[in-house]
Amino acid sequence: MTATRPGPAPPALRLRGVVQSFPVGLGLRRREVLHGVDLELERGGGLGLVGPNGSGKSTLLRLIAGVDLPRTGTVEVLGGTPREPRVRARVGWLPEDSPFPRELGALAALELIGGLNGLARHQARERSRALIERVGLSREARTPLRRFSRGMLRRFGLAQAVLNEPELLLLDEPTAGLDAPGFELLDELVGETRARGAAVVIASHLAADVHRHCERLAVLIDGRLAAQGTPLELLARADQAQARVEAEIAGLDARGLEELAAQVRARGGHWLGARPAQQSLLALYRRLGSVR
Amino acid sequence: MNLGLARLALRRALPPGLVATAVVLAAFFLATTWRPAPLEAEALLGSIDPRSAASAIARQGLWAALLATLAPFLVARAALILPGWRRGEVDWLFASASTRTGLALSAYLGLAAAAAIFVVFDAAVAELAAGRAGPGRALAARFATPTVLLAGDEPIVRGIDLGRSPAGAALRVRILLVGGGPAADLRLAVRAVAADGAVHATRARLATSGNLEVTLPRSEGPFELSLERTGGESLVALERDGIELVTPVASERVGSLRLAARSWLALCAMLAVALGLGAWLSAPTAAIGALSLGLAALLAGSTVAPALPLASLKEALSLTGEGLAAPWPSWRALVASAATIVLGLTLAAAGLRHWRCAP
């Protein structure tokens, strides 16, 4: 009698030769926006999709989220296709815009999205209440989303993305419109999601947005995957004269920073300046009375 | 299916602006006088019961006015749903674990609920206008007959295949005066064939086309109906399918109840078509398309497509104005509505399946 051993779990994400195009004009011609993208992300991994505006990041995320179908190529998510309900129930997605039901209050909208994702009614209600509080929208729980500011909508978007405790979290430009406390919230939610063993894909045109949570970066240029690797590997491929690094440093006063700058210069580097990090702004806000 | 999404569709179908418009229009129509001058004259002559005739006309008027003015808004709201999804909501809807067919069905459930609220509102306003209600009468059956000209003194005799006559039932005959003189004197009689002898008859002088009615004897059928001209110059014809069985019902309000059922079925069919067209066309084009199809069905009337609920709505409204409750929708109407709804939802689901989102 032979026991069958379960094979290795399929990756969180596997794209092969993905091409996407859209009709233009009268629909007689098509404009190709993704040209044969191959990409893979292991379970629990973090991938940053970076590239300039219009490079195809959002289109790629839409394909992974199952909103759209590729023209050709295959998209495999958590061992299935993105359109399978059992797969979609395990994927969380924050779209680039915030096209949520404008007439609903935040809590009602969150419960609706939970229900559509297969959560039982009481489960959707409990998680929604907890998340509304978590993202700092308790006071606006019943306010229609159309009255939300961009930052508040982004917080709501983050809450709906993690509502179903996804195994794959897709975030499209997650920092757009967020304030310093919002950045901290994003860091916490993504950190907790990854701590649960979920994979995360963050798309941004700002590389700084993705560094914290993504050990690998993929660079999309004009719909082509131009490069991928760790941030330092990509840095090594860049023109050294143009390459810059950012660092977040805690515990140094102005004099300490001056000494650090001197050491950088002594090693042949260019010290281009220092500015307060988001965390410093957050500390300032709290000192000035902000509760979020 | 998702009840939350159905509730959202219901909310979108009946936004506060439309609800306010409905209330203002209802108030306006309630303040309108629906009793026409000829009715008042007939009431003075004592030929009709003025209260019940005024109720019937008010009931018909309110139903017709509210359906004509508000139903297009509801159809337009239904046509907006899927284009709204296409404008961006796909991002959270299509990424959910629900299938696209499930999403379309949920949205449709909300629209059908909106249609139900709409017809209940119409019925309430119509009954408010109709006022106090007494016992009512309903059209129970219609007997097939060709158009027959009553030539000379020879009566028209027709067999009425009916079991035991219901208590208080009557036969109503629709008569056309087709010229040749100012009026005709008519005698309408009915007798039970088996009972042999029990004859109920009525006589009337008609100056315009109209109805004659005779009470059915309480007896086992079949019956024999005869219509003869006893005087006058005018040529007389029996209208096609113009012999009807009228039976008593508990209340005049039954008319509104049955109109509500017909209107709901008709609206459900139109809303499904509007939803389905919205998956392929822009919202205004989808709304106009659904309304045009509805108008075509209404104008075609029950002669061309009798099974379509909208086709028979005009006639049901006309019966209501005559103080008769229209019959409940037939099983054919149910099947035709269900088929139209399935067609609309198939269009919607197919449209959603093929959507591609431009970046």
Side-chain angles (χ1 to χ4, degrees):
Chain A
M1 192 172 159
T2 55
T4 52
R5 280 179 148 187
L13 186 62
R14 184 186 284 145
L15 278 71
R16 289 283 177 268
V18 169
V19 172
Q20 181 66 313
S21 63
F22 296 104
V24 288
L26 294 172
L28 301 175
R29 289 182 301 116
R30 299 189 73 87
R31 185 167 68 90
E32 206 167 277
V33 290
L34 291 175
H35 317 280
V37 175
D38 295 322
L39 197 62
E40 194 163 313
L41 175 65
E42 71 281 11
R43 300 263 178 160
L47 176 71
L49 266 180
V50 293
N53 291 335
S55 57
K57 303 184 296 293
S58 296
T59 303
L60 193 60
L61 281 194
R62 274 206 181 100
L63 296 176
I64 299 169
V67 172
D68 208 354
L69 282 175
R71 191 78 180 155
T72 59
T74 58
V75 179
E76 187 188 317
V77 176
L78 302 171
T81 63
R83 286 211 172 173
E84 288 173 56
R86 68 171 183 88
V87 170
R88 277 194 249 161
R90 292 147 64 206
V91 176
W93 188 34
L94 172 68
E96 182 180 9
D97 301 316
S98 297
F100 305 110
R102 294 161 43 83
E103 58 273 75
L104 294 186
L107 189 60
L110 215 48
E111 284 178 19
L112 168 62
I113 293 170
L116 286 171
N117 276 309
L119 294 182
R121 201 171 169 180
H122 70 277
Q123 205 178 12
R125 182 167 297 166
E126 279 170 21
R127 283 198 199 171
S128 299
R129 283 188 179 151
L131 270 170
I132 283 288
E133 193 164 332
R134 181 75 196 281
V135 299
L137 294 174
S138 302
R139 277 186 297 178
E140 294 86 6
R142 298 191 189 283
T143 306
L145 294 181
R146 67 170 174 271
R147 296 199 192 141
F148 274 29
S149 68
R150 195 173 174 212
M152 287 157 75
L153 275 174
R154 221 58 193 147
R155 285 167 180 263
F156 172 83
L158 284 171
Q160 63 82 34
V162 298
L163 182 65
N164 55 341
E165 296 183 347
E167 292 172 43
L168 173 63
L169 180 61
L170 309 169
L171 303 174
D172 196 357
E173 304 287 356
T175 56
L178 281 183
D179 54 7
F183 271 81
E184 189 189 40
L185 174 72
L186 171 68
D187 286 346
E188 284 174 9
L189 290 176
V190 175
E192 287 165 17
T193 303
R194 291 211 59 188
R196 278 193 293 103
V200 175
V201 180
I202 301 177
S204 178
H205 63 283
L206 300 173
D209 285 354
V210 298
H211 280 149
R212 194 185 303 271
H213 298 290
C214 302
E215 55 275 6
R216 277 181 55 221
L217 296 184
V219 185
L220 265 181
I221 305 286
D222 289 336
R224 287 191 172 79
L225 198 59
Q228 57 178 316
T230 64
L232 290 179
E233 283 170 354
L234 291 179
L235 187 68
R237 290 179 61 178
D239 178 356
Q240 291 301 309
Q242 298 291 324
R244 299 178 182 190
V245 293
E246 289 181 344
E248 271 191 41
I249 298 164
L252 282 186
D253 57 9
R255 190 173 166 192
L257 281 175
E258 273 304 314
E259 288 171 8
L260 185 62
Q263 284 179 27
V264 170
R265 288 188 199 103
R267 294 177 74 94
H270 299 281
W271 181 269
L272 299 175
R275 56 178 177 267
Q278 289 290 345
Q279 295 297 322
S280 307
L281 276 176
L282 184 61
L284 177 65
Y285 291 170
R286 287 191 175 141
R287 198 166 187 177
L288 295 174
S290 172
V291 291
R292 282 178 178 158
Chain B
M1 273 217 282
N2 181 277
L3 286 180
L5 193 58
R7 273 199 297 274
L8 182 62
L10 166 63
R11 206 169 158 157
R12 288 180 174 175
L14 296 176
L18 181 54
V19 173
T21 305
V23 171
V24 170
L25 279 174
F28 173 74
F29 291 139
L30 280 171
T32 305
T33 302
W34 294 96
R35 181 190 292 214
L39 178 73
E40 292 184 352
E42 283 188 58
L44 286 174
L45 288 169
S47 57
I48 57 165
D49 170 15
R51 188 209 57 79
S52 101
S55 282
I57 288 176
R59 188 173 285 116
Q60 178 200 38
L62 261 292
W63 264 105
L66 289 173
L67 280 174
T69 52
L70 291 174
F73 282 108
L74 202 57
V75 172
R77 298 297 302 180
L80 269 171
I81 299 241
L82 296 192
W85 289 9
R86 191 163 39 195
R87 274 199 301 274
E89 288 191 321
V90 285
D91 281 354
W92 63 272
L93 279 166
F94 287 8
S96 74
S98 303
T99 62
R100 295 182 185 201
T101 305
L103 293 174
L105 273 174
S106 302
Y108 180 70
L109 192 66
L111 292 177
I117 291 171
F118 174 76
V119 296
V120 167
F121 173 77
D122 282 10
V125 175
E127 287 311 309
L128 202 60
R132 191 168 52 85
R137 301 188 327 140
L139 177 68
R142 183 168 282 154
F143 302 98
T145 173
T147 305
V148 185
L149 193 64
L150 189 59
D153 297 334
E154 198 65 26
I156 298 171
V157 179
R158 285 282 174 275
I160 305 295
D161 192 12
L162 194 68
R164 184 165 181 77
S165 60
L171 283 179
R172 196 172 87 134
V173 175
R174 294 207 307 266
I175 290 161
L176 299 168
L177 261 60
V178 286
D185 297 316
L186 298 167
R187 178 179 182 270
L188 180 67
V190 63
R191 71 178 182 90
V193 173
D196 194 22
V199 177
H200 284 193
T202 186
R203 288 173 182 275
R205 181 177 180 78
L206 288 187
T208 58
S209 297
N211 304 321
L212 265 185
E213 213 174 288
V214 61
T215 313
L216 264 177
R218 273 297 268 162
S219 145
E220 288 294 331
F223 297 89
E224 189 180 85
L225 178 121
S226 73
L227 176 68
E228 64 178 313
R229 194 172 61 189
T230 56
E233 301 295 323
S234 180
L235 288 171
V236 173
L238 172 63
E239 209 179 301
R240 181 159 59 91
D241 299 339
I243 303 173
E244 297 165 335
L245 176 68
V246 175
T247 53
V249 287
S251 167
E252 288 170 330
R253 302 206 196 286
V254 170
S256 268
L257 194 64
R258 294 185 183 180
L259 260 184
R262 279 174 185 272
S263 306
W264 185 69
L265 274 183
L267 268 176
C268 281
M270 278 184 79
L271 294 179
V273 171
L275 186 77
L277 291 179
W280 298 90
L281 308 169
S282 70
T285 315
I288 291 169
L291 286 169
S292 299
L293 289 172
L295 191 63
L298 193 68
L299 293 177
S302 54
T303 49
V304 177
L308 289 176
L310 199 61
S312 59
L313 193 58
K314 195 169 60 176
E315 193 190 351
L317 278 169
S318 167
L319 283 171
T320 305
E322 292 169 27
L324 288 181
W328 288 108
S330 64
W331 65 268
R332 279 187 187 169
L334 292 175
V335 170
S337 299
T340 313
I341 290 165
V342 168
L343 177 73
L345 290 179
T346 307
L347 265 178
L352 294 183
R353 206 167 298 126
H354 291 100
W355 270 1
R356 289 179 183 279
C357 309

